[in-house]
Amino acid sequence: MTKMLDDYALLSPLRYTNNWLKIGVVGFGILMGISSQSPLVPFSIAICMSLATLIFGRVPPKFYLKLLMGPAVFVVFSIIIIAFFFGSGPELFGFNVLDYHLGVNTGGLSMAFLVFSRTLGGMCCLFFLALTTPMVELFSVLKKTRLPDSFIELSMMMYRYIFVFLDVAWCIKHAQTVRLGYHDLRTSLHSMAMLCSTLFLRSWEQGEKTFVAMNARCYDGKMMIFEEKRPVNFSEVALSLGYMVAIVGVWYVSNGMLEVSLW
Amino acid sequence: MHIMEGFLPSPWWQLWFVFSIPVIMFGMYRLNKLVSERRDLLPLLAVAGAFIFVLSSLKLPSVTGSSSHPTGTGMAAIMFGPAVTAVLGVIVLLYQALFLAHGGLTTLGANVASMGIIGPLAAYLIYKAGMKANINFYVVVFLAATFADWITYVVTSTQLALAFSSQAGGFIGLLQGFLVIFATTQVPLAIMEGALTALIFKYIIQVKSDALVELKVISQETVNKLRGISA
């Protein structure tokens, strides 16, 4: 079975830190990174958040690296396109393909670099949240927002069934694989369709059963969850504040410098 | 295809939220109405959402080494309509960002627009038009799912090109670049998803067609006709 980020979050030593603090730190990082015009800010955010995830969250570094490689394909392709088609400035190198000139100039290259750094910074922030805060904790945060109840109920029930169905799907897939269900394209297409339709019917029946079971227990459209009080330590606040001040400092210095150099 | 966290620059990720939020609000309104009328639908919708998530985390068998995931949204749109699919899409995309590291939080608006709104809407329109024109059910499902998948990629390419062309003005060139890389490579995969979805419906109709009739996806007559052909 594939390991999901939630599994790590449930075991994380940071699981019991205050949710709002974690969300604040992550949201701050994402917004600062995306609003920066200089790649320096997202890179420093990426380094800080990675260190926090690896040291405080005790995530195995090998797993973390593999996680960062996942989105790499999409990012690399898009960055190549941006580098080739974007911006102005002196051309660095170029070649002709069927009378069509392709070239990379300095503007495009620096834009590609900036986008790369922003994505890296954003991903590191997101991974920090995903690897230290299980969804169960985020539900109590969602309850505090003014989203409609049915939406939150829906997401809570979906969360539960994702794991049930993943289990079923993997069992069926293993059973099909040992019976050579995926040995070529034709059979794999058929096996896959069989798997999906079985899964759909199973989930349909499960939905009916769940309704009966929940009705029998007086479900009235609102599930109560217990929210624990999570006091914030002084050291945690101090560390987050220090991090925020440092990032704001880097933001001002690097973006200020950018303006000066443009001047 | 998911746009990664931090990929869209500043005016654009907000703009896509502005586009998506009203649609999601409308979807939630529809959802609330639906659930207050028939309370037994909520668990059903929940398992449908979980089903989309699991479907999109399974690897599609693919010709070359490159792997792709079915979006599953075409199927959801056919079964539940585009408004409810948009709400399910938001939750699925949020979970994908937090569990599987696909997509992101600031790019959620753009991803919802392409995968939760425009793709499913296309599927739904094609499905309705095809059923009205009395084309074979499986052909219609195949077309709807194929185009839902492919249009999702076209929309994503357009989103990327729009976001990065504002300063240089090279929108067409950039769009061509993104379309060549993302939309053309997606054509065989979209066809695969279409075929897969049609096969899924075939199995469901053979085993338990009343589920589909209850959702008003197809009428009992169509089921009888299809069974008559396949038997």
Side-chain angles (χ1 to χ4, degrees):
Chain A
M1 189 157 167
T2 46
K3 273 246 170 179
M4 291 211 285
L5 303 190
D6 213 43
D7 302 337
Y8 284 91
L10 284 166
L11 297 172
S12 167
L14 290 183
R15 180 180 166 182
Y16 296 109
T17 3
N18 189 291
N19 291 327
W20 294 98
L21 185 71
K22 280 189 278 192
I23 291 178
V25 166
V26 167
F28 169 82
I30 286 178
L31 289 179
M32 285 309 268
I34 211 163
S35 63
S36 165
Q37 290 302 319
S38 136
L40 206 61
V41 180
F43 271 131
S44 33
I45 290 172
I47 291 169
C48 290
M49 292 320 272
S50 303
L51 286 179
T53 318
L54 293 176
I55 296 171
F56 301 127
R58 290 210 210 107
V59 174
K62 228 179 180 173
F63 172 76
Y64 191 70
L65 274 181
K66 234 168 97 186
L67 213 60
L68 279 179
M69 291 309 285
V73 180
F74 167 81
V75 172
V76 166
F77 270 130
S78 315
I79 280 171
I80 290 172
I81 298 170
I82 291 172
F84 270 101
F85 289 93
F86 186 86
S88 50
E91 191 173 292
L92 294 174
F93 64 92
F95 48 85
N96 287 310
V97 187
L98 305 169
D99 295 340
Y100 193 78
H101 186 70
L102 286 173
V104 176
N105 51 43
T106 45
L109 201 64
S110 62
M111 188 66 197
F113 194 61
L114 177 61
V115 169
F116 171 71
S117 69
R118 276 183 190 160
T119 310
L120 189 70
M123 291 311 291
C124 288
C125 287
L126 197 62
F127 285 152
F128 176 75
L129 186 69
L131 288 169
T132 60
T133 317
M135 206 57 217
V136 192
E137 304 284 328
L138 289 178
F139 283 135
S140 57
V141 173
L142 272 182
K143 282 249 172 183
K144 284 265 160 62
T145 59
R146 293 171 67 191
L147 289 166
D149 280 332
S150 57
F151 179 78
I152 295 167
E153 294 293 303
L154 193 62
S155 26
M156 276 160 65
M157 270 191 259
M158 252 170 81
Y159 175 73
R160 160 135 183 56
Y161 282 108
I162 280 172
F163 295 97
V164 176
F165 295 148
L166 267 183
D167 224 28
V168 175
W170 280 94
C171 283
I172 299 177
K173 188 147 192 191
H174 284 311
Q176 286 176 329
T177 313
V178 294
R179 288 165 181 80
L180 299 181
Y182 290 95
H183 79 105
D184 64 16
L185 190 69
R186 230 188 120 72
T187 47
S188 35
L189 203 60
H190 269 278
S191 309
M192 189 82 179
M194 236 192 273
L195 194 165
C196 295
S197 51
T198 313
L199 201 62
F200 173 77
L201 294 175
R202 286 261 176 101
S203 42
W204 180 274
E205 278 168 8
Q206 188 63 52
E208 285 174 348
K209 278 185 207 157
T210 310
F211 173 67
V212 173
M214 282 165 63
N215 249 7
R217 287 160 183 78
C218 306
Y219 175 66
D220 64 344
K222 226 177 184 176
M223 258 189 281
M224 296 309 241
I225 43 176
F226 177 63
E227 193 193 346
E228 281 176 73
K229 285 225 161 48
R230 300 269 155 74
V232 191
N233 301 359
F234 174 71
S235 57
E236 285 165 7
V237 176
L239 199 63
S240 327
L241 276 182
Y243 158 74
M244 287 181 182
V245 168
I247 295 297
V248 170
V250 173
W251 199 92
Y252 264 103
V253 170
S254 60
N255 283 279
M257 274 197 327
L258 212 68
E259 262 164 48
V260 171
S261 67
L262 282 177
W263 192 253
Chain B
M1 181 178 63
H2 303 67
I3 300 177
M4 288 298 150
E5 176 61 64
F7 205 86
L8 290 178
S10 221
W12 288 101
W13 63 267
Q14 290 101 326
L15 277 178
W16 285 111
F17 269 110
V18 170
F19 172 82
S20 304
I21 285 173
V23 182
I24 297 164
M25 300 261 267
F26 175 69
M28 281 190 192
Y29 164 75
R30 287 290 302 270
L31 181 76
N32 266 333
K33 228 174 104 186
L34 212 69
V35 170
S36 60
E37 273 167 22
R38 287 186 56 191
R39 271 198 317 128
D40 55 321
L41 274 180
L42 192 64
L44 218 55
L45 283 171
V47 291
F51 176 70
I52 298 177
F53 180 91
V54 174
L55 202 66
S56 62
S57 66
L58 288 171
K59 268 191 183 138
L60 204 66
S62 145
V63 197
T64 50
S66 74
S67 71
S68 180
H69 309 277
T71 55
T73 48
M75 195 173 162
I78 293 173
M79 290 206 247
F80 303 106
V84 175
T85 306
V87 179
L88 290 180
V90 176
I91 305 177
V92 168
L93 284 170
L94 197 64
Y95 283 168
Q96 279 176 338
L98 289 177
F99 295 165
L100 303 172
H102 292 169
L105 296 180
T106 55
T107 50
L108 191 66
N111 284 332
V112 167
S114 70
M115 264 179 292
I117 298 172
I118 299 175
L121 190 67
Y124 186 74
L125 292 178
I126 293 170
Y127 175 74
K128 282 285 162 199
M131 289 313 275
K132 212 161 227 171
N134 232 343
I135 308 170
N136 180 294
F137 175 70
Y138 298 126
V139 177
V140 177
V141 169
F142 169 76
L143 287 177
T146 306
F147 276 97
D149 184 297
W150 189 67
I151 283 172
T152 301
Y153 274 72
V154 173
V155 171
T156 312
S157 303
T158 317
Q159 284 173 337
L160 290 175
L162 273 176
F164 289 105
S165 66
S166 53
Q167 290 137 327
F171 172 68
I172 302 297
L174 212 55
L175 183 63
Q176 276 173 349
F178 280 118
L179 279 178
V180 165
I181 298 242
F182 290 124
T184 50
T185 53
Q186 189 63 17
V187 168
L189 296 171
I191 293 174
M192 287 283 279
E193 172 158 2
L196 188 68
T197 312
L199 272 175
I200 293 173
F201 271 104
K202 188 182 154 215
Y203 281 121
I204 293 175
I205 284 181
Q206 280 173 355
V207 181
K208 198 183 174 193
S209 59
D210 42 329
L212 293 178
V213 177
E214 208 177 303
L215 279 174
K216 297 195 188 111
V217 175
I218 45 174
S219 58
Q220 192 60 48
E221 297 98 79
T222 331
V223 174
N224 291 342
K225 213 174 88 188
L226 287 171
R227 281 231 171 121
I229 292 165
S230 58

